[in-house]
Amino acid sequence: MKKSRYTKIFTRSLTAIAISSVIGMSTASAEDIRGVISVTQGVATDITVKAVNVDTGTTRSIELDDDGSYRLAKLPTGIYEVTVSKGNRVLALEQVRVSLGKNTITNFEVAAPSNDTEVIQVVASSVATLDLASSDSGLIIGEAEIDRMPVTRNLTSVALLAPGVVQGDQSFGANTASFGGSSVAENICYINGMEVTNTRNGLGCGELPFEFYKEFQVKTGGYSARYGRATGGAINATAKKGTNEWEFAVTGTYTPESWRSDDRQIARSNGGSGTIYRDESLDELTQKEMTFSVGGPIIKDKLFMYAIINPKSTKQNLTFQPSFWDHYLANNQYRKRESSGGDNLFWGATIDWDISDNHRLSYFGYSNRSDTLETIFAYNNNGKGVVGDETGTQIRKRGGETHSISYTGYITDDLIVTAMAGRIETEYETSASNIACSTVNEARDNFTTPAVSCGPGGAYGENNDTNTQYALDLEYTIGDHTITAGIESQERDTTRFNIPTGPDGGHSWTYYTVQPGASIQGNDGVLFTNTSDQPQDYVRDRVFSNAEKGGGFTSDIKAYFIEDVWTLSDDLTLTLGLRVDDFENTGVTGRVISSFTTDVAPRLGFSWDPTGDGESKLFGTFGQYYLPIANNTIYRAASGVDDRTTHYTFTGVDPTTGEPIGATPVNGTKSNSEVVNSTATFPEEKTFVSNNAEPFSKIEYILGYETMLTDEYSMLVKGTYRYVDSALDDYCGAYSNAHCLMINPGKDAVFYVDADDDGLADTDTPVSYDNETTVKLPKGENKYYALETTLKYRVEDFSWTASYTWSHSYGNFEGAVKSDNGQTDAGVTTDFDFPALMDGSYGNLPNDRRHVLKFFGSYNVTEQFVIGWNSTLASGRPRGIQGGSYWSTDPDLYGSYGDTYYVTQDDGSITYHPRGSNGTTPWTFRLDLSASYTFNVKGIDMRASLDIFNVLDNSQPVSIVDNYEGIGWTAGARNQFYGAPLDWQTPRFATLNFEARF
């Protein structure tokens, strides 16, 4: 039999290897047990390798290949006994752990008897530390390992352990992350094979209680062809399953307000001397939750179940600013949120049926529906901040239900079939008790008696998503090739009505001041200018609604992929993959408004062991990734949204409703005094998408080296280069139709004219618009370079991981969403809407954190007492100076809205401030600590732990207002809140955790 170099690595300690698998950077993509069996004596025929899951009895067996290799593919994660047998004689036995997304390499040297009378001798066995057969990049970690460290209990916090992942802007919520410089809306999330990404705008994922999770895989790059629909990162998690032993568990988590730091921040206008802008001093948050779970065999070795319920209670008080203009507006509401009992009860379950050794059927389902009662009070931001009268209540309906069925069939030793079908339903509706009062915002400088609405304002209406998914994969092994081919299908349905509160169809009034000589830009140039020598108060009324013509719209998404993992030799493996995605979007009329079939996207990788001893590898990947159009884009474009803002003078303010008295259009008539950003039309594809447009895509190159320095130390060095190959965004300039157009910025646009604003093409001939002379947009550029170094130390009682990432993220747009103004409209931000908005936009991007150092781990003080830590030191994000001015009022260049990189000074001169030219926010450091103790009471295993987050109570600002000129992009005005912090580091808080298992 062929001798393998794997025989050289049998001296590796199994104990050290088991510890190494606890926490580490993995370059893996499958749940296989594979390896090589070298026969030192006897005949290498009729040898069988069998793996038995010690918890469930799940069994897979395979005959040894002619070259001595074997592969037991697509195994459920868990602990397995691997047995090498010849006939009825056991030649070798080893126990191994199969982790999510990781190949477990197990090699044997055996003496194989030629008859039953010969003595059996097991020469050696080993479990290889490095997975030499794969080349993708990421982090694999289990829920049990997370419990040993202070990690906030959500998927984003797990992802943030990986190098190259940084916290997203808090404008998008507390739990978002940027992977490799991409925006936070470009990631994808899976749980048990179901995609649970927020399909509305890509922000966030469906979540489980941590007790329900089993393992996590964070993919930071180099994805195989199986993964798509993401240009950032991927989070892959599995839920717990039942075993052959019945287990019951109770856990509890308590985070009281009294354990939170009293050092809360207040930001004020005019450099800290004026009115309150943001106020954390009144914030309060108390959270309690418990889980009750049970898992075990319905039929031993055959049918298993696991079920969990998770009642939660949350009480939160906070000051709030609900408007899109929050960079210019102070908090004007105080909200109390409360959810508990049946309105905040999670349930989940898994059922696994091993029909036979070769066929498995599984169910996965959960409900994370939550109804939160929100009581809203007026908040006066003058002085110390005063909470006023109650203005109304509303119910925030969030979450939904997920159900899926999956099948794995081992048709032959070489052919495996997997299939999945599932459905996710998600709610986003807010139901208000008071819809009679308009939204009112006060933006006048240091105004002593601010205008206040008689209600909470905002909007209401039906708002939900449904995502129906199907997937089928075929895997076939022939010789040195493992070939996988698959097809995926998703139908993403959205129903949304946006109805603003207030009389006469609803209104949103914002009071503001225009300084002498300052002007407001309209659709066709300057809308009006304050020609007096005194500041003048005005009010603008924005009506954003699809009340009459809203409804349902759909995204149909399909993908096809094929991939070959080619083992050229013991030392070299190639991964050769191709993927094609189809994206089709349909508006409320059933009319297709966009459709793309991507180019064939390559996914190439290699993994090479340069020394041949199994203790190091050089790996690299090249890939192209495509991002579909988010459903929010289809809502904005094809659900009949009417968005217009009218400007008025006024004589007074109604003290009850906050609405203006004596409102008069600034230019005599309403039509001459308004800015129309969209009309209630339903475009078709020819009038909405340039017919030479290509979907959003990124190119990625990765080269890395991983090695075992000693039995305890390992090191990984990796370089990454990513760039946007094709940007797809909306253009709303002078040559667009009544609605904006989807184009590739910097490329000539070709689309059909809709002169009568009915959404349909007026002729059968498209018009070509030369980018250089008409549209005048730069090419969308977004580039990311990174060098990562990771060092890990593992012994039985002590483990830690340290990583340092130097990276540079730069270009002229962030990606799908925009941190500069907190805009969550994925794919339709203000970027590229008008040429003027991109003049000066090239520079360091918002997710550029040049230096990031992470250090986390745990130490067993005794067998029962464990301490853990998690720390991050990061440089600040870039800062700029953004204005509402421009050197030209030509509507071909400058439209009616959007932050520019020009500012009008007091002497009338216009100054230029390109992106990132105002330094950075401060460096931030966060240290979290934990301590846990396990004990047993009358046969019940118990554990108590205390997690303290931000132990040093650091409170550096993480984002700062860079908008220098006033609300509504008023040239010559001043934003009184320029330079004020928008958000700070989360103050110190502590969480008590308890669990009992029996």
Side-chain angles (χ1 to χ4, degrees), residues 935-975:
F935 54 99
N936 187 282
V937 177
K938 295 183 179 180
I940 300 175
D941 293 327
M942 296 188 178
R943 177 178 175 271
S945 66
L946 179 67
D947 299 334
I948 305 176
F949 299 94
N950 192 7
V951 171
L952 302 179
D953 203 19
N954 290 327
S955 57
Q956 294 287 3
V958 293
S959 60
I960 296 173
V961 178
D962 291 334
N963 307 89
Y964 188 79
E965 292 188 310
I967 187 169
W969 308 286
T970 308
R974 293 290 177 265
N975 180 10

Short mmCIF file of all heavy atoms in Angstrom, two decimals, residues 935-975:
data_model
loop_
_atom_site.label_atom_id
_atom_site.label_comp_id
_atom_site.label_asym_id
_atom_site.label_seq_id
_atom_site.Cartn_x
_atom_site.Cartn_y
_atom_site.Cartn_z
N PHE A 935 -20.82 23.52 40.05
CA PHE A 935 -21.00 22.73 41.26
C PHE A 935 -22.16 21.77 41.06
O PHE A 935 -22.88 21.83 40.05
CB PHE A 935 -21.23 23.63 42.47
CG PHE A 935 -22.36 24.61 42.31
CD1 PHE A 935 -23.61 24.35 42.87
CD2 PHE A 935 -22.18 25.80 41.60
CE1 PHE A 935 -24.65 25.26 42.72
CE2 PHE A 935 -23.21 26.71 41.47
CZ PHE A 935 -24.46 26.44 42.02
N ASN A 936 -22.32 20.86 41.99
CA ASN A 936 -23.35 19.83 41.88
C ASN A 936 -24.14 19.78 43.18
O ASN A 936 -23.56 19.75 44.27
CB ASN A 936 -22.71 18.47 41.60
CG ASN A 936 -23.75 17.39 41.32
OD1 ASN A 936 -24.37 16.87 42.22
ND2 ASN A 936 -23.92 17.08 40.05
N VAL A 937 -25.45 19.80 43.03
CA VAL A 937 -26.34 19.72 44.19
C VAL A 937 -27.32 18.59 43.96
O VAL A 937 -28.15 18.64 43.04
CB VAL A 937 -27.10 21.05 44.40
CG1 VAL A 937 -28.07 20.91 45.57
CG2 VAL A 937 -26.12 22.20 44.64
N LYS A 938 -27.19 17.52 44.73
CA LYS A 938 -28.09 16.36 44.68
C LYS A 938 -28.24 15.82 43.25
O LYS A 938 -29.32 15.56 42.75
CB LYS A 938 -29.47 16.73 45.23
CG LYS A 938 -29.44 17.07 46.72
CD LYS A 938 -30.82 17.35 47.27
CE LYS A 938 -30.76 17.66 48.76
NZ LYS A 938 -32.10 17.93 49.33
N GLY A 939 -27.09 15.72 42.57
CA GLY A 939 -27.08 15.14 41.24
C GLY A 939 -27.41 16.10 40.13
O GLY A 939 -27.44 15.69 38.96
N ILE A 940 -27.65 17.36 40.45
CA ILE A 940 -27.95 18.37 39.43
C ILE A 940 -26.69 19.20 39.19
O ILE A 940 -26.13 19.79 40.12
CB ILE A 940 -29.11 19.28 39.88
CG1 ILE A 940 -30.38 18.46 40.12
CG2 ILE A 940 -29.36 20.36 38.84
CD1 ILE A 940 -31.53 19.25 40.66
N ASP A 941 -26.23 19.23 37.94
CA ASP A 941 -25.07 20.04 37.57
C ASP A 941 -25.49 21.49 37.45
O ASP A 941 -26.42 21.82 36.71
CB ASP A 941 -24.48 19.56 36.25
CG ASP A 941 -23.88 18.17 36.35
OD1 ASP A 941 -23.35 17.83 37.42
OD2 ASP A 941 -23.98 17.41 35.37
N MET A 942 -24.79 22.35 38.17
CA MET A 942 -25.14 23.76 38.18
C MET A 942 -23.92 24.62 37.84
O MET A 942 -22.78 24.19 38.01
CB MET A 942 -25.68 24.17 39.54
CG MET A 942 -26.99 23.49 39.91
SD MET A 942 -27.71 24.16 41.42
CE MET A 942 -29.23 23.21 41.52
N ARG A 943 -24.22 25.79 37.35
CA ARG A 943 -23.16 26.74 37.00
C ARG A 943 -23.69 28.15 37.21
O ARG A 943 -24.80 28.48 36.81
CB ARG A 943 -22.73 26.56 35.55
CG ARG A 943 -21.69 27.55 35.06
CD ARG A 943 -21.31 27.23 33.62
NE ARG A 943 -20.40 28.21 33.07
CZ ARG A 943 -20.78 29.32 32.42
NH1 ARG A 943 -22.07 29.57 32.25
NH2 ARG A 943 -19.88 30.15 31.95
N ALA A 944 -22.87 28.98 37.85
CA ALA A 944 -23.20 30.40 38.03
C ALA A 944 -22.05 31.22 37.49
O ALA A 944 -20.87 30.85 37.64
CB ALA A 944 -23.43 30.72 39.50
N SER A 945 -22.37 32.32 36.82
CA SER A 945 -21.32 33.17 36.26
C SER A 945 -21.74 34.63 36.34
O SER A 945 -22.93 34.96 36.35
CB SER A 945 -21.02 32.79 34.81
OG SER A 945 -22.12 33.06 33.98
N LEU A 946 -20.73 35.48 36.38
CA LEU A 946 -20.92 36.92 36.39
C LEU A 946 -20.08 37.51 35.26
O LEU A 946 -18.87 37.28 35.19
CB LEU A 946 -20.51 37.53 37.72
CG LEU A 946 -20.64 39.06 37.83
CD1 LEU A 946 -22.11 39.47 37.80
CD2 LEU A 946 -19.96 39.58 39.10
N ASP A 947 -20.73 38.24 34.36
CA ASP A 947 -20.04 38.93 33.26
C ASP A 947 -20.09 40.42 33.51
O ASP A 947 -21.17 40.98 33.78
CB ASP A 947 -20.71 38.63 31.92
CG ASP A 947 -20.69 37.16 31.57
OD1 ASP A 947 -19.81 36.45 32.05
OD2 ASP A 947 -21.58 36.72 30.80
N ILE A 948 -18.95 41.09 33.42
CA ILE A 948 -18.88 42.54 33.55
C ILE A 948 -18.34 43.10 32.25
O ILE A 948 -17.21 42.77 31.84
CB ILE A 948 -17.99 42.98 34.73
CG1 ILE A 948 -18.46 42.31 36.04
CG2 ILE A 948 -18.01 44.49 34.88
CD1 ILE A 948 -17.57 42.62 37.22
N PHE A 949 -19.12 43.94 31.59
CA PHE A 949 -18.76 44.49 30.30
C PHE A 949 -18.28 45.94 30.45
O PHE A 949 -18.85 46.71 31.20
CB PHE A 949 -19.95 44.43 29.35
CG PHE A 949 -20.43 43.01 29.10
CD1 PHE A 949 -21.46 42.47 29.86
CD2 PHE A 949 -19.86 42.24 28.11
CE1 PHE A 949 -21.90 41.17 29.65
CE2 PHE A 949 -20.30 40.94 27.88
CZ PHE A 949 -21.32 40.40 28.65
N ASN A 950 -17.24 46.27 29.69
CA ASN A 950 -16.60 47.58 29.77
C ASN A 950 -16.22 47.88 31.22
O ASN A 950 -16.67 48.87 31.83
CB ASN A 950 -17.52 48.67 29.21
CG ASN A 950 -16.81 49.99 29.00
OD1 ASN A 950 -15.60 50.10 29.16
ND2 ASN A 950 -17.57 51.02 28.65
N VAL A 951 -15.36 47.03 31.75
CA VAL A 951 -14.98 47.10 33.16
C VAL A 951 -14.45 48.48 33.53
O VAL A 951 -14.74 49.01 34.61
CB VAL A 951 -13.92 46.02 33.46
CG1 VAL A 951 -13.33 46.21 34.86
CG2 VAL A 951 -14.53 44.64 33.33
N LEU A 952 -13.69 49.10 32.64
CA LEU A 952 -13.08 50.40 32.93
C LEU A 952 -14.04 51.56 32.70
O LEU A 952 -13.69 52.71 32.93
CB LEU A 952 -11.83 50.58 32.08
CG LEU A 952 -10.75 49.52 32.25
CD1 LEU A 952 -9.57 49.79 31.34
CD2 LEU A 952 -10.31 49.42 33.70
N ASP A 953 -15.26 51.26 32.24
CA ASP A 953 -16.30 52.26 32.01
C ASP A 953 -15.83 53.37 31.08
O ASP A 953 -16.10 54.56 31.29
CB ASP A 953 -16.78 52.86 33.34
CG ASP A 953 -18.18 53.46 33.22
OD1 ASP A 953 -18.91 53.10 32.28
OD2 ASP A 953 -18.54 54.29 34.07
N ASN A 954 -15.09 52.99 30.03
CA ASN A 954 -14.66 53.97 29.04
C ASN A 954 -15.86 54.51 28.28
O ASN A 954 -16.81 53.77 27.99
CB ASN A 954 -13.67 53.35 28.07
CG ASN A 954 -12.33 53.04 28.73
OD1 ASN A 954 -11.90 53.76 29.62
ND2 ASN A 954 -11.69 51.97 28.30
N SER A 955 -15.83 55.78 27.94
CA SER A 955 -17.01 56.41 27.34
C SER A 955 -16.62 57.34 26.19
O SER A 955 -17.14 58.44 26.07
CB SER A 955 -17.79 57.20 28.39
OG SER A 955 -16.97 58.17 29.02
N GLN A 956 -15.71 56.88 25.36
CA GLN A 956 -15.32 57.69 24.21
C GLN A 956 -16.46 57.74 23.19
O GLN A 956 -17.20 56.77 23.02
CB GLN A 956 -14.08 57.08 23.53
CG GLN A 956 -12.83 57.10 24.37
CD GLN A 956 -12.24 58.50 24.49
OE1 GLN A 956 -12.80 59.47 23.98
NE2 GLN A 956 -11.12 58.62 25.18
N PRO A 957 -16.63 58.87 22.49
CA PRO A 957 -17.63 58.91 21.42
C PRO A 957 -17.22 58.00 20.27
O PRO A 957 -16.04 57.95 19.90
CB PRO A 957 -17.64 60.38 21.00
CG PRO A 957 -16.33 60.92 21.45
CD PRO A 957 -15.94 60.16 22.67
N VAL A 958 -18.18 57.29 19.71
CA VAL A 958 -17.90 56.39 18.59
C VAL A 958 -18.38 56.97 17.27
O VAL A 958 -18.02 56.47 16.20
CB VAL A 958 -18.51 54.99 18.82
CG1 VAL A 958 -17.81 54.30 19.98
CG2 VAL A 958 -20.01 55.08 19.07
N SER A 959 -19.22 57.99 17.32
CA SER A 959 -19.57 58.75 16.12
C SER A 959 -19.91 60.18 16.53
O SER A 959 -20.43 60.42 17.62
CB SER A 959 -20.74 58.12 15.36
OG SER A 959 -21.89 58.05 16.16
N ILE A 960 -19.58 61.13 15.64
CA ILE A 960 -19.70 62.56 15.93
C ILE A 960 -20.36 63.24 14.75
O ILE A 960 -20.15 62.84 13.59
CB ILE A 960 -18.30 63.17 16.21
CG1 ILE A 960 -17.69 62.55 17.48
CG2 ILE A 960 -18.36 64.68 16.36
CD1 ILE A 960 -16.26 62.96 17.74
N VAL A 961 -21.18 64.25 15.00
CA VAL A 961 -21.87 64.97 13.93
C VAL A 961 -20.87 65.72 13.08
O VAL A 961 -20.14 66.60 13.58
CB VAL A 961 -22.92 65.94 14.51
CG1 VAL A 961 -23.61 66.71 13.38
CG2 VAL A 961 -23.95 65.19 15.34
N ASP A 962 -20.79 65.39 11.80
CA ASP A 962 -19.89 66.06 10.87
C ASP A 962 -20.63 67.03 9.94
O ASP A 962 -20.00 67.63 9.06
CB ASP A 962 -19.16 65.02 10.01
CG ASP A 962 -18.16 64.21 10.82
OD1 ASP A 962 -17.67 64.73 11.84
OD2 ASP A 962 -17.89 63.05 10.45
N ASN A 963 -21.93 67.18 10.13
CA ASN A 963 -22.74 68.06 9.27
C ASN A 963 -22.60 69.50 9.77
O ASN A 963 -23.16 69.88 10.79
CB ASN A 963 -24.20 67.62 9.30
CG ASN A 963 -24.35 66.15 8.96
OD1 ASN A 963 -24.30 65.30 9.85
ND2 ASN A 963 -24.49 65.86 7.69
N TYR A 964 -21.85 70.31 9.00
CA TYR A 964 -21.50 71.65 9.45
C TYR A 964 -22.60 72.66 9.17
O TYR A 964 -22.83 73.58 9.95
CB TYR A 964 -20.21 72.08 8.77
CG TYR A 964 -19.62 73.37 9.29
CD1 TYR A 964 -18.90 73.38 10.47
CD2 TYR A 964 -19.79 74.56 8.59
CE1 TYR A 964 -18.35 74.56 10.96
CE2 TYR A 964 -19.24 75.75 9.08
CZ TYR A 964 -18.53 75.74 10.25
OH TYR A 964 -17.99 76.90 10.74
N GLU A 965 -23.28 72.51 8.05
CA GLU A 965 -24.34 73.45 7.69
C GLU A 965 -25.71 72.91 8.11
O GLU A 965 -25.86 71.72 8.42
CB GLU A 965 -24.30 73.77 6.21
CG GLU A 965 -23.04 74.58 5.86
CD GLU A 965 -23.04 75.09 4.44
OE1 GLU A 965 -23.27 74.30 3.51
OE2 GLU A 965 -22.78 76.30 4.25
N GLY A 966 -26.72 73.77 8.11
CA GLY A 966 -27.98 73.52 8.78
C GLY A 966 -28.88 72.50 8.13
O GLY A 966 -28.59 71.96 7.05
N ILE A 967 -30.00 72.23 8.77
CA ILE A 967 -30.92 71.20 8.36
C ILE A 967 -31.40 71.44 6.93
O ILE A 967 -31.61 72.57 6.48
CB ILE A 967 -32.13 71.14 9.32
CG1 ILE A 967 -33.01 69.94 8.98
CG2 ILE A 967 -32.92 72.43 9.31
CD1 ILE A 967 -34.05 69.65 10.02
N GLY A 968 -31.58 70.35 6.23
CA GLY A 968 -32.13 70.44 4.89
C GLY A 968 -31.14 70.96 3.89
O GLY A 968 -31.50 71.49 2.85
N TRP A 969 -29.81 70.80 4.21
CA TRP A 969 -28.77 71.19 3.27
C TRP A 969 -28.94 72.66 2.86
O TRP A 969 -29.04 73.00 1.69
CB TRP A 969 -28.80 70.25 2.06
CG TRP A 969 -28.76 68.82 2.52
CD1 TRP A 969 -27.67 68.18 3.01
CD2 TRP A 969 -29.84 67.91 2.58
NE1 TRP A 969 -28.01 66.89 3.37
CE2 TRP A 969 -29.33 66.69 3.11
CE3 TRP A 969 -31.19 67.96 2.24
CZ2 TRP A 969 -30.13 65.57 3.31
CZ3 TRP A 969 -31.98 66.85 2.43
CH2 TRP A 969 -31.45 65.68 2.96
N THR A 970 -28.98 73.51 3.89
CA THR A 970 -29.14 74.94 3.69
C THR A 970 -27.78 75.60 3.56
O THR A 970 -27.02 75.69 4.52
CB THR A 970 -29.90 75.55 4.89
OG1 THR A 970 -31.10 74.82 5.10
CG2 THR A 970 -30.22 77.00 4.63
N ALA A 971 -27.46 76.07 2.37
CA ALA A 971 -26.17 76.70 2.12
C ALA A 971 -26.04 77.99 2.92
O ALA A 971 -26.91 78.85 2.86
CB ALA A 971 -26.00 76.98 0.63
N GLY A 972 -24.95 78.12 3.66
CA GLY A 972 -24.72 79.33 4.44
C GLY A 972 -25.22 79.25 5.86
O GLY A 972 -24.89 80.13 6.67
N ALA A 973 -26.03 78.26 6.20
CA ALA A 973 -26.53 78.11 7.56
C ALA A 973 -25.49 77.37 8.40
O ALA A 973 -24.47 76.91 7.91
CB ALA A 973 -27.86 77.37 7.57
N ARG A 974 -25.75 77.24 9.70
CA ARG A 974 -24.87 76.49 10.59
C ARG A 974 -25.69 75.46 11.35
O ARG A 974 -26.79 75.76 11.84
CB ARG A 974 -24.18 77.43 11.59
CG ARG A 974 -23.21 78.39 10.93
CD ARG A 974 -21.97 77.65 10.43
NE ARG A 974 -21.06 78.55 9.73
CZ ARG A 974 -21.05 78.72 8.41
NH1 ARG A 974 -21.92 78.07 7.65
NH2 ARG A 974 -20.19 79.54 7.85
N ASN A 975 -25.15 74.24 11.45
CA ASN A 975 -25.78 73.21 12.26
C ASN A 975 -25.26 73.37 13.68
O ASN A 975 -24.08 73.15 13.96
CB ASN A 975 -25.44 71.82 11.71
CG ASN A 975 -26.07 70.70 12.52
OD1 ASN A 975 -26.90 70.94 13.39
ND2 ASN A 975 -25.65 69.47 12.25
#
